[in-house]
Amino acid sequence: MVKTYEGGAYLLNGETLVKDGADAAAEVKAKTGNEVTKEEAKKGTIAYGILDAHDTTASAKGTDTQGRALHIRFDSLISHDITYVGIIQTARASGLTKFPIPYVLTNCHNSLCAVGGTINEDDHVFGLTAAKKYGGVYVPPHQAVIHQYAREQMATAGGMILGSDSHTRYGALGTMAIGEGGPELVKQLLQQTYDIKYPEVVAIYLTGAPVKGVGPQDVALAIIGEVFDKGYVKNKIMEFVGPGVANLSAEFRIGVDVMTTETTCLSSVWRTDARAKEYYDIHQRGEFYKELNPKEVAYYDGVVEVDLSTVRPMIAMPFHPSNTYEIEEVNRHPADILHEVEEKAKKSLDGKVEYSLQDKIVGGRLRVEQGLIAGCAGGTYENIVDAADILRGHYIGNDEFSMSVYPSSTPIYMELLKNGVAADILETGAILKTAFCGPCFGAGDTPSNGALSIRHSTRNFPNREGSKVQNGQIASVALMDARSIAATAANDGYLTPATDFDGSFTHPVYHYDANIYGNRVFDAKGKEDAEVSLRLGPNIKDWPKMSALPDHLLLRVVSEIHDPVTTTDELIPSGETSSYRSNPEGLAEFTLSRRDPEYVGLAKEIRAAQTALVKGKDPLAAFPPLRDVLKLIYDSVPGADKGDVGFGSTIFAVKPGDGSAREQAASCQKVLGGWANIANEYATKRYRSNLINWGMLPFVIEEGALPFARLDYVFLLNIRHAVENEVEGILAFAVHEDSVHAFTMTLGDLTKEERQIILDGCLINYNAGKLTAA
């Protein structure tokens, strides 16, 4: 059972919930003997204590949450090898001389060098020289996936970590971690702050204990399935409390916690106890543990109540982690459920390929072609040893079904070798591989066309497994827990819940070998060496120059997307693009390639006008169709002919930005001349922040009939003045053929700094201006 409350609730002594209502305050007083206001009780959450401690505004310490603006400095930063090059390039363009706080550069995304020749390894060499030059930590390829290294070596109870990956989540260890686009890490490197309004905090109230065979992915999917469509925890902090927490191991909590990203929450944190302390002790970091609990009375803005004993093995069918079913339900009604999945898929695939899963029903049961246990969600020690217990004595066979297991760090791999679990897995016919995030974004174990893969990983969006719809390919991923994947593998690929396993789980003790990192990881925290030169491979390019916001803007609508949600994978594909993450112009060629292949060419056409303008040439000669458009605007809109006009592109999407934190989803649009997104709402805070940091206007327009269509134009009169003066309703004009129609949009809440970043054209320009002023 997973259920959400309509309103908030008080939590008393970490155990008892009192729903908000007319009699709630009296009930709280009767049960505790204390009279506590709701606002005071909001300060009783674990989240409040962590955020308050990291807020740099001294005058705000201990103040109320209502309307409070937070200016956060994180304790440490972490990135991987498709983000850190761009981050460091941006920061050094803004005057970076050293890393002011610990910054870890991991190499778990571009670990394979088969694509792009030397490009990937050039990025790794850049990362190593950057760690030497600026005083950072460099984790070589295949040592650990980004989030496992952070859990093992960086987490601190009560601390905060900022990472340039959306699954930056270490709440199970008492660390409030947030995944954001690269520019937010740049700000921290330049000793600026992470600025947000105080977020709402939602209690994830756990009771009971999981039944045998149920794993962390099952609990996570049950929660995601309940809250995602409602937006119940969107941009909020999930705080895991209640008596059920004590019934979960630290790694079980970690497995649930890492998937909170798929709810669209801002971050997460759990109460800590002896089991969390044991995790710190095992990794020889006991001094970083402390017990965290809500105060005697804590108030939460919402509650998700989870009875762990009622959760059954789950499957998230293609193409979203929220498309959840109980495995037993799928086995009872495979044809009906697959039909539902196919109907939903039509929206995701936009009719570009024929899609059916009905051929996966064999003898009345669903049969899959591939199983994977991998990455920050699946590759933990407990997941793998439990899967091995289920697989032991079975064989995956010599037919189409295949299976791979990726331990999430080399220390875990080493322990599997020492205790014989690795041999047990290999004996089944499954393959054991090194720490690598590839299966999560389409750079490893890509299935055959038409195949269905079950994975204990983080996402199952279209193309995340590596197929290319634009080339007529489609494979599918369903998310499951490692235990049920193992049960399915042991049953010849027929979908099987791990609750059917009648054997015993052995739970071999984990012994952590610190020498693995000690002998291989380069650690120069606080030991920068300015004499070191960065190694810039031929694919590592600087960001192109970007213009400040002009007086007026003329935007061409070059893409129009009406799917309910648009993922960052659709905005900039993962997988085959990874080798070009350090080359802004090269990567931009892939923008929207899986969703709208004509986008790049159309955006470049109007970008040519802005490029000519910057060079002092005639923009109308560069893109002649603008002559008639501008004449119509000047004739129809008073004042349009006074002041500077800039040219560029925009896209409309209903709800863009679900998924990855990668800044390139926005920066690639900017490189191609994008000045704005127009949306009914933004799926995540991090995508909207990426737009802002790249100088793009995050417009919101009310749902309903759009005043423009693809290849129309939008003219923004006095847009610079509107941003400077915090104008609420932005006046715009839609230009369609020979007509001009006025309409309004909004920009939503923007801090003073965010407005200046937009005015300056991007974060790089903003920081360059500060350097000049200094």
Side-chain angles (χ1 to χ4, degrees):
M1 174 205 70
V2 180
K3 67 177 183 180
T4 56
Y5 286 21
E6 288 189 11
Y10 295 86
L11 180 66
L12 312 182
N13 298 309
E15 296 283 330
T16 306
L17 286 170
V18 176
K19 289 185 179 181
D20 199 4
D23 301 325
E27 187 176 347
V28 170
K29 183 177 180 181
K31 289 183 175 179
T32 66
N34 296 318
E35 189 169 340
V36 182
T37 66
K38 183 184 294 185
E39 185 54 53
E40 193 62 28
K42 286 187 175 185
K43 300 178 189 177
T45 65
I46 299 169
Y48 181 87
I50 295 174
L51 291 170
D52 191 60
H54 289 80
D55 189 358
T56 60
T57 309
S59 59
K61 296 288 187 182
T63 60
D64 291 350
T65 66
Q66 187 67 34
R68 180 172 173 178
L70 295 168
H71 303 278
I72 299 294
R73 287 261 177 85
F74 290 83
D75 299 308
S76 56
L77 309 175
I78 191 164
S79 296
H80 52 61
D81 48 352
I82 59 173
T83 57
Y84 66 60
V85 176
I87 290 167
I88 294 168
Q89 287 285 73
T90 303
R92 78 185 186 99
S94 304
L96 176 73
T97 58
K98 67 177 181 178
F99 296 154
I101 57 176
Y103 186 19
V104 175
L105 311 177
T106 67
N107 295 276
C108 53
H109 281 58
N110 271 7
S111 303
L112 301 180
C113 297
V115 179
T118 68
I119 289 174
N120 295 3
E121 194 59 26
D122 287 345
D123 285 357
H124 300 158
V125 173
F126 173 92
L128 178 59
T129 56
K132 292 178 179 179
K133 184 177 183 67
Y134 300 118
V137 178
Y138 175 84
V139 183
H142 306 287
Q143 287 294 305
V145 301
I146 175 173
H147 304 309
Q148 186 62 26
Y149 185 86
R151 295 164 190 154
E152 294 173 355
Q153 295 294 304
M154 297 175 67
T156 59
M160 292 189 74
I161 295 176
L162 183 66
S164 57
D165 184 274
S166 58
H167 290 98
T168 306
R169 293 285 190 269
Y170 319 124
L173 300 172
T175 304
M176 188 180 293
I178 297 176
E180 280 283 0
E184 291 300 331
L185 279 80
V186 171
K187 292 177 184 177
Q188 296 289 311
L189 291 174
L190 299 176
Q191 301 190 65
Q192 297 162 10
T193 56
Y194 180 73
D195 302 335
I196 55 170
K197 286 186 175 180
Y198 189 92
E200 291 189 352
V201 182
V202 174
I204 313 300
Y205 183 77
L206 305 181
T207 62
V211 301
K212 178 185 170 186
V214 166
Q217 187 83 326
D218 298 316
V219 175
L221 293 178
I223 294 171
I224 295 165
E226 179 65 25
V227 305
F228 177 81
D229 285 341
K230 299 176 181 178
Y232 192 80
V233 297
K234 180 180 176 182
N235 294 333
K236 302 173 185 177
I237 294 174
M238 299 172 72
E239 185 161 307
F240 288 78
V241 293
V245 173
N247 297 323
L248 305 177
S249 70
E251 284 209 345
F252 197 113
R253 300 174 199 181
I254 284 168
V256 176
D257 187 66
V258 72
M259 291 296 291
T260 59
T261 296
E262 304 312 321
T263 68
T264 68
C265 74
L266 178 70
S267 188
S268 61
V269 68
W270 295 56
R271 55 170 289 256
T272 60
D273 56 16
R275 290 193 165 188
K277 182 179 185 303
E278 180 186 34
Y279 190 92
Y280 279 95
D281 289 342
I282 286 171
H283 293 91
Q284 303 172 24
R285 303 181 68 249
E287 69 272 22
F288 296 106
Y289 169 80
K290 66 180 177 181
E291 187 172 338
L292 299 176
N293 284 301
K295 291 183 179 179
E296 181 186 22
V297 181
Y299 182 84
Y300 295 91
D301 301 288
V303 177
V304 181
E305 193 170 342
V306 183
D307 181 351
L308 295 167
S309 67
T310 65
V311 176
R312 292 295 178 267
M314 303 290 293
I315 182 169
M317 299 294 280
F319 286 103
H320 199 276
S322 65
N323 192 16
T324 54
Y325 301 86
E326 290 185 354
I327 291 175
E328 292 166 344
E329 181 186 3
V330 175
N331 282 338
R332 285 193 297 269
H333 308 289
D336 293 341
I337 289 174
L338 292 185
H339 178 71
E340 288 180 13
V341 173
E342 290 159 358
E343 289 300 304
K344 292 178 181 178
K346 288 180 180 179
K347 295 180 180 178
S348 300
L349 301 174
D350 201 29
K352 292 180 180 177
V353 293
E354 291 293 325
Y355 183 73
S356 175
L357 293 172
Q358 296 298 325
D359 65 318
K360 308 305 174 193
I361 301 175
V362 179
R365 296 189 62 185
L366 181 64
R367 191 164 188 259
V368 303
E369 288 93 345
Q370 186 187 66
L372 284 180
I373 300 170
C376 57
T380 59
Y381 179 73
E382 283 184 10
N383 286 334
I384 294 173
V385 297
D386 281 2
D389 284 336
I390 296 172
L391 283 167
R392 193 174 290 110
H394 296 276
Y395 301 91
I396 69 169
N398 61 0
D399 206 341
E400 206 170 348
F401 184 83
S402 64
M403 185 169 177
S404 296
V405 178
Y406 293 75
S408 56
S409 73
T410 299
I412 293 173
Y413 201 132
M414 178 67 82
E415 183 62 13
L416 298 174
L417 292 171
K418 288 179 177 179
N419 65 16
V421 171
D424 292 336
I425 291 171
L426 291 169
E427 188 177 20
T428 70
I431 299 300
L432 205 60
K433 300 187 177 181
T434 54
F436 180 43
C437 294
C440 286
F441 65 91
D445 284 282
T446 302
S448 63
N449 184 55
L452 176 59
S453 175
I454 53 173
R455 302 187 174 194
H456 192 154
S457 59
T458 54
R459 291 200 174 115
N460 61 338
F461 300 159
N463 317 118
R464 277 295 278 208
E465 80 302 322
S467 63
K468 298 181 181 180
V469 171
Q470 70 270 31
N471 291 352
Q473 300 174 322
I474 184 64
S476 306
V477 169
L479 301 181
M480 285 170 49
D481 187 80
R483 293 148 192 82
S484 291
I485 292 172
T488 300
N491 196 20
D492 198 30
Y494 287 95
L495 189 66
T496 304
T499 46
D500 286 359
F501 173 57
D502 59 6
S504 298
F505 289 111
T506 58
H507 302 303
V509 174
Y510 178 61
H511 302 93
Y512 172 72
D513 186 349
N515 290 326
I516 294 172
Y517 291 147
N519 294 330
R520 189 72 186 104
V521 171
F522 177 83
D523 187 346
K525 286 192 301 288
K527 301 174 184 176
E528 68 277 3
D529 184 352
E531 298 303 312
V532 173
S533 298
L534 292 176
R535 286 274 297 275
L536 299 169
N539 188 59
I540 298 176
K541 306 294 185 183
D542 291 333
W543 293 103
K545 299 294 183 183
M546 298 178 191
S547 302
L549 187 69
D551 295 326
H552 319 298
L553 268 178
L554 180 59
L555 305 178
R556 189 188 195 193
V557 181
V558 292
S559 189
E560 187 179 355
I561 306 172
H562 289 275
D563 291 352
V565 179
T566 303
T567 69
T568 46
D569 283 270
E570 293 172 288
L571 295 167
I572 183 66
S574 54
E576 81 274 18
T577 67
S578 295
S579 293
Y580 299 94
R581 299 297 170 129
S582 306
N583 183 339
E585 291 282 358
L587 182 63
E589 293 294 325
F590 295 92
T591 313
L592 267 81
S593 59
R594 291 178 180 171
R595 189 64 185 77
D596 186 353
E598 294 181 346
Y599 166 82
V600 171
L602 294 173
K604 283 182 174 180
E605 287 178 349
I606 192 164
R607 183 184 66 170
Q610 181 68 20
T611 301
L613 184 67
V614 170
K615 292 180 177 180
K617 298 180 180 179
D618 181 5
L620 306 187
F623 189 47
L626 291 178
R627 294 185 188 278
D628 292 339
V629 175
L630 273 179
K631 183 178 186 306
L632 181 60
I633 291 169
Y634 291 158
D635 290 344
S636 307
V637 180
D641 57 347
K642 296 178 176 63
D644 298 329
V645 179
F647 306 94
S649 58
T650 187
I651 68 169
F652 169 80
V654 173
K655 188 178 179 181
D658 186 25
S660 172
R662 69 179 77 111
E663 65 180 279
Q664 294 95 341
S667 66
C668 285
Q669 295 178 55
K670 182 70 175 193
V671 167
L672 292 168
W675 275 107
N677 274 195
I678 302 174
N680 295 143
E681 66 173 302
Y682 292 93
T684 58
K685 182 263 178 198
R686 56 184 174 269
Y687 177 67
R688 183 175 181 271
S689 293
N690 284 336
L691 292 174
I692 294 166
N693 285 322
W694 284 104
M696 297 180 69
L697 296 150
F699 285 123
V700 173
I701 191 169
E702 290 185 6
E703 292 184 43
L706 284 177
F708 54 80
R710 185 171 179 269
L711 299 186
D712 285 349
Y713 292 84
V714 173
F715 182 73
L716 300 168
L717 180 69
N718 296 323
I719 184 60
R720 186 173 183 89
H721 176 270
V723 173
E724 284 177 326
N725 293 278
E726 303 182 29
V727 175
E728 188 171 340
I730 305 297
L731 181 62
F733 297 86
V735 182
H736 176 72
E737 296 179 351
D738 295 328
S739 64
V740 178
H741 299 286
F743 67 101
T744 59
M745 299 182 288
T746 60
L747 285 170
D749 292 329
L750 291 169
T751 67
K752 178 182 177 181
E753 289 76 13
E754 286 174 334
R755 289 182 182 277
Q756 193 59 51
I757 289 168
I758 291 172
L759 291 168
D760 289 343
C762 65
L763 181 64
I764 295 174
N765 293 356
Y766 170 77
N767 284 316
K770 292 179 70 174
L771 278 175
T772 302

mmCIF file of all heavy atoms in Angstrom, residues 525-546:
data_model
loop_
_atom_site.group_PDB
_atom_site.id
_atom_site.type_symbol
_atom_site.label_atom_id
_atom_site.label_comp_id
_atom_site.label_asym_id
_atom_site.label_seq_id
_atom_site.Cartn_x
_atom_site.Cartn_y
_atom_site.Cartn_z
ATOM 1 N N LYS A 525 43.239 17.110 -3.181
ATOM 2 C CA LYS A 525 42.372 18.090 -2.516
ATOM 3 C C LYS A 525 43.223 19.142 -1.799
ATOM 4 O O LYS A 525 44.085 18.826 -0.984
ATOM 5 C CB LYS A 525 41.467 17.403 -1.484
ATOM 6 C CG LYS A 525 40.335 16.603 -2.062
ATOM 7 C CD LYS A 525 39.319 16.205 -0.991
ATOM 8 C CE LYS A 525 39.909 15.379 0.128
ATOM 9 N NZ LYS A 525 40.243 14.015 -0.295
ATOM 10 N N GLY A 526 42.963 20.404 -2.125
ATOM 11 C CA GLY A 526 43.663 21.489 -1.462
ATOM 12 C C GLY A 526 45.129 21.625 -1.838
ATOM 13 O O GLY A 526 45.882 22.360 -1.183
ATOM 14 N N LYS A 527 45.562 20.951 -2.887
ATOM 15 C CA LYS A 527 46.976 20.974 -3.284
ATOM 16 C C LYS A 527 47.108 21.371 -4.759
ATOM 17 O O LYS A 527 47.734 20.692 -5.559
ATOM 18 C CB LYS A 527 47.609 19.608 -3.063
ATOM 19 C CG LYS A 527 47.544 19.121 -1.612
ATOM 20 C CD LYS A 527 48.062 17.702 -1.491
ATOM 21 C CE LYS A 527 47.913 17.184 -0.071
ATOM 22 N NZ LYS A 527 48.338 15.759 0.053
ATOM 23 N N GLU A 528 46.478 22.476 -5.112
ATOM 24 C CA GLU A 528 46.508 22.914 -6.504
ATOM 25 C C GLU A 528 47.930 23.270 -6.932
ATOM 26 O O GLU A 528 48.766 23.676 -6.125
ATOM 27 C CB GLU A 528 45.584 24.121 -6.705
ATOM 28 C CG GLU A 528 46.019 25.405 -6.034
ATOM 29 C CD GLU A 528 45.623 25.495 -4.561
ATOM 30 O OE1 GLU A 528 45.039 24.524 -4.027
ATOM 31 O OE2 GLU A 528 45.919 26.535 -3.947
ATOM 32 N N ASP A 529 48.185 23.099 -8.213
ATOM 33 C CA ASP A 529 49.510 23.388 -8.779
ATOM 34 C C ASP A 529 49.312 24.198 -10.053
ATOM 35 O O ASP A 529 49.040 23.660 -11.126
ATOM 36 C CB ASP A 529 50.254 22.093 -9.069
ATOM 37 C CG ASP A 529 51.680 22.326 -9.569
ATOM 38 O OD1 ASP A 529 52.041 23.493 -9.827
ATOM 39 O OD2 ASP A 529 52.410 21.334 -9.721
ATOM 40 N N ALA A 530 49.466 25.496 -9.946
ATOM 41 C CA ALA A 530 49.215 26.398 -11.075
ATOM 42 C C ALA A 530 50.155 26.151 -12.245
ATOM 43 O O ALA A 530 49.872 26.573 -13.380
ATOM 44 C CB ALA A 530 49.333 27.852 -10.613
ATOM 45 N N GLU A 531 51.272 25.465 -12.010
ATOM 46 C CA GLU A 531 52.237 25.218 -13.079
ATOM 47 C C GLU A 531 51.790 24.121 -14.032
ATOM 48 O O GLU A 531 52.328 23.992 -15.139
ATOM 49 C CB GLU A 531 53.594 24.839 -12.476
ATOM 50 C CG GLU A 531 54.221 25.929 -11.600
ATOM 51 C CD GLU A 531 54.397 27.227 -12.355
ATOM 52 O OE1 GLU A 531 54.918 27.184 -13.486
ATOM 53 O OE2 GLU A 531 54.003 28.281 -11.826
ATOM 54 N N VAL A 532 50.822 23.314 -13.606
ATOM 55 C CA VAL A 532 50.336 22.227 -14.466
ATOM 56 C C VAL A 532 49.528 22.812 -15.619
ATOM 57 O O VAL A 532 48.706 23.716 -15.431
ATOM 58 C CB VAL A 532 49.468 21.228 -13.657
ATOM 59 C CG1 VAL A 532 48.815 20.204 -14.582
ATOM 60 C CG2 VAL A 532 50.304 20.535 -12.598
ATOM 61 N N SER A 533 49.736 22.303 -16.815
ATOM 62 C CA SER A 533 48.979 22.740 -17.989
ATOM 63 C C SER A 533 47.857 21.742 -18.277
ATOM 64 O O SER A 533 48.069 20.523 -18.200
ATOM 65 C CB SER A 533 49.886 22.839 -19.209
ATOM 66 O OG SER A 533 50.891 23.806 -19.004
ATOM 67 N N LEU A 534 46.705 22.264 -18.598
ATOM 68 C CA LEU A 534 45.602 21.389 -18.983
ATOM 69 C C LEU A 534 45.913 20.730 -20.317
ATOM 70 O O LEU A 534 46.407 21.385 -21.247
ATOM 71 C CB LEU A 534 44.303 22.184 -19.092
ATOM 72 C CG LEU A 534 43.721 22.753 -17.800
ATOM 73 C CD1 LEU A 534 42.487 23.598 -18.113
ATOM 74 C CD2 LEU A 534 43.360 21.645 -16.823
ATOM 75 N N ARG A 535 45.605 19.451 -20.423
ATOM 76 C CA ARG A 535 45.775 18.730 -21.687
ATOM 77 C C ARG A 535 44.470 18.805 -22.461
ATOM 78 O O ARG A 535 43.467 18.199 -22.064
ATOM 79 C CB ARG A 535 46.141 17.275 -21.394
ATOM 80 C CG ARG A 535 47.563 17.069 -20.902
ATOM 81 C CD ARG A 535 48.571 16.928 -22.039
ATOM 82 N NE ARG A 535 48.283 15.745 -22.838
ATOM 83 C CZ ARG A 535 48.720 14.520 -22.529
ATOM 84 N NH1 ARG A 535 49.460 14.331 -21.448
ATOM 85 N NH2 ARG A 535 48.420 13.494 -23.296
ATOM 86 N N LEU A 536 44.472 19.563 -23.545
ATOM 87 C CA LEU A 536 43.273 19.778 -24.347
ATOM 88 C C LEU A 536 43.362 18.964 -25.622
ATOM 89 O O LEU A 536 44.087 19.331 -26.555
ATOM 90 C CB LEU A 536 43.108 21.261 -24.678
ATOM 91 C CG LEU A 536 42.951 22.203 -23.470
ATOM 92 C CD1 LEU A 536 43.072 23.646 -23.900
ATOM 93 C CD2 LEU A 536 41.617 21.969 -22.788
ATOM 94 N N GLY A 537 42.622 17.858 -25.682
ATOM 95 C CA GLY A 537 42.579 17.070 -26.895
ATOM 96 C C GLY A 537 41.900 17.841 -28.014
ATOM 97 O O GLY A 537 41.241 18.859 -27.787
ATOM 98 N N PRO A 538 42.013 17.369 -29.254
ATOM 99 C CA PRO A 538 41.470 18.108 -30.409
ATOM 100 C C PRO A 538 39.953 18.269 -30.374
ATOM 101 O O PRO A 538 39.421 19.146 -31.059
ATOM 102 C CB PRO A 538 41.913 17.264 -31.615
ATOM 103 C CG PRO A 538 42.212 15.907 -31.054
ATOM 104 C CD PRO A 538 42.715 16.136 -29.661
ATOM 105 N N ASN A 539 39.243 17.452 -29.586
ATOM 106 C CA ASN A 539 37.793 17.563 -29.525
ATOM 107 C C ASN A 539 37.327 18.478 -28.404
ATOM 108 O O ASN A 539 36.133 18.761 -28.288
ATOM 109 C CB ASN A 539 37.178 16.167 -29.349
ATOM 110 C CG ASN A 539 35.667 16.180 -29.468
ATOM 111 O OD1 ASN A 539 35.126 16.587 -30.491
ATOM 112 N ND2 ASN A 539 34.981 15.761 -28.421
ATOM 113 N N ILE A 540 38.227 18.948 -27.564
ATOM 114 C CA ILE A 540 37.841 19.816 -26.444
ATOM 115 C C ILE A 540 37.875 21.261 -26.920
ATOM 116 O O ILE A 540 38.941 21.813 -27.216
ATOM 117 C CB ILE A 540 38.768 19.602 -25.232
ATOM 118 C CG1 ILE A 540 38.641 18.155 -24.737
ATOM 119 C CG2 ILE A 540 38.434 20.582 -24.118
ATOM 120 C CD1 ILE A 540 39.579 17.797 -23.595
ATOM 121 N N LYS A 541 36.708 21.842 -27.029
ATOM 122 C CA LYS A 541 36.578 23.185 -27.596
ATOM 123 C C LYS A 541 36.003 24.153 -26.566
ATOM 124 O O LYS A 541 35.232 23.758 -25.689
ATOM 125 C CB LYS A 541 35.645 23.158 -28.821
ATOM 126 C CG LYS A 541 36.035 22.161 -29.894
ATOM 127 C CD LYS A 541 37.347 22.508 -30.564
ATOM 128 C CE LYS A 541 37.645 21.555 -31.724
ATOM 129 N NZ LYS A 541 38.957 21.832 -32.339
ATOM 130 N N ASP A 542 36.348 25.413 -26.699
ATOM 131 C CA ASP A 542 35.770 26.448 -25.847
ATOM 132 C C ASP A 542 34.331 26.727 -26.276
ATOM 133 O O ASP A 542 33.928 26.458 -27.413
ATOM 134 C CB ASP A 542 36.580 27.738 -25.952
ATOM 135 C CG ASP A 542 37.960 27.612 -25.320
ATOM 136 O OD1 ASP A 542 38.107 26.787 -24.392
ATOM 137 O OD2 ASP A 542 38.884 28.330 -25.752
ATOM 138 N N TRP A 543 33.567 27.300 -25.350
ATOM 139 C CA TRP A 543 32.205 27.703 -25.688
ATOM 140 C C TRP A 543 32.249 28.873 -26.671
ATOM 141 O O TRP A 543 33.107 29.760 -26.550
ATOM 142 C CB TRP A 543 31.444 28.149 -24.437
ATOM 143 C CG TRP A 543 31.199 27.034 -23.471
ATOM 144 C CD1 TRP A 543 31.863 26.783 -22.318
ATOM 145 C CD2 TRP A 543 30.207 26.010 -23.592
ATOM 146 N NE1 TRP A 543 31.364 25.662 -21.698
ATOM 147 C CE2 TRP A 543 30.346 25.167 -22.463
ATOM 148 C CE3 TRP A 543 29.226 25.711 -24.532
ATOM 149 C CZ2 TRP A 543 29.526 24.059 -22.244
ATOM 150 C CZ3 TRP A 543 28.407 24.615 -24.317
ATOM 151 C CH2 TRP A 543 28.563 23.799 -23.192
ATOM 152 N N PRO A 544 31.358 28.899 -27.648
ATOM 153 C CA PRO A 544 31.328 30.043 -28.568
ATOM 154 C C PRO A 544 30.876 31.311 -27.846
ATOM 155 O O PRO A 544 30.235 31.252 -26.796
ATOM 156 C CB PRO A 544 30.302 29.609 -29.624
ATOM 157 C CG PRO A 544 29.431 28.613 -28.937
ATOM 158 C CD PRO A 544 30.326 27.895 -27.966
ATOM 159 N N LYS A 545 31.228 32.450 -28.402
ATOM 160 C CA LYS A 545 30.803 33.727 -27.832
ATOM 161 C C LYS A 545 29.284 33.854 -27.931
ATOM 162 O O LYS A 545 28.677 33.448 -28.923
ATOM 163 C CB LYS A 545 31.461 34.892 -28.576
ATOM 164 C CG LYS A 545 32.982 34.895 -28.514
ATOM 165 C CD LYS A 545 33.484 35.128 -27.096
ATOM 166 C CE LYS A 545 35.007 35.212 -27.064
ATOM 167 N NZ LYS A 545 35.530 35.361 -25.681
ATOM 168 N N MET A 546 28.691 34.441 -26.901
ATOM 169 C CA MET A 546 27.243 34.580 -26.860
ATOM 170 C C MET A 546 26.874 36.028 -26.578
ATOM 171 O O MET A 546 27.512 36.704 -25.767
ATOM 172 C CB MET A 546 26.651 33.647 -25.803
ATOM 173 C CG MET A 546 26.938 32.178 -26.112
ATOM 174 S SD MET A 546 26.309 31.024 -24.890
ATOM 175 C CE MET A 546 27.125 29.504 -25.451
#
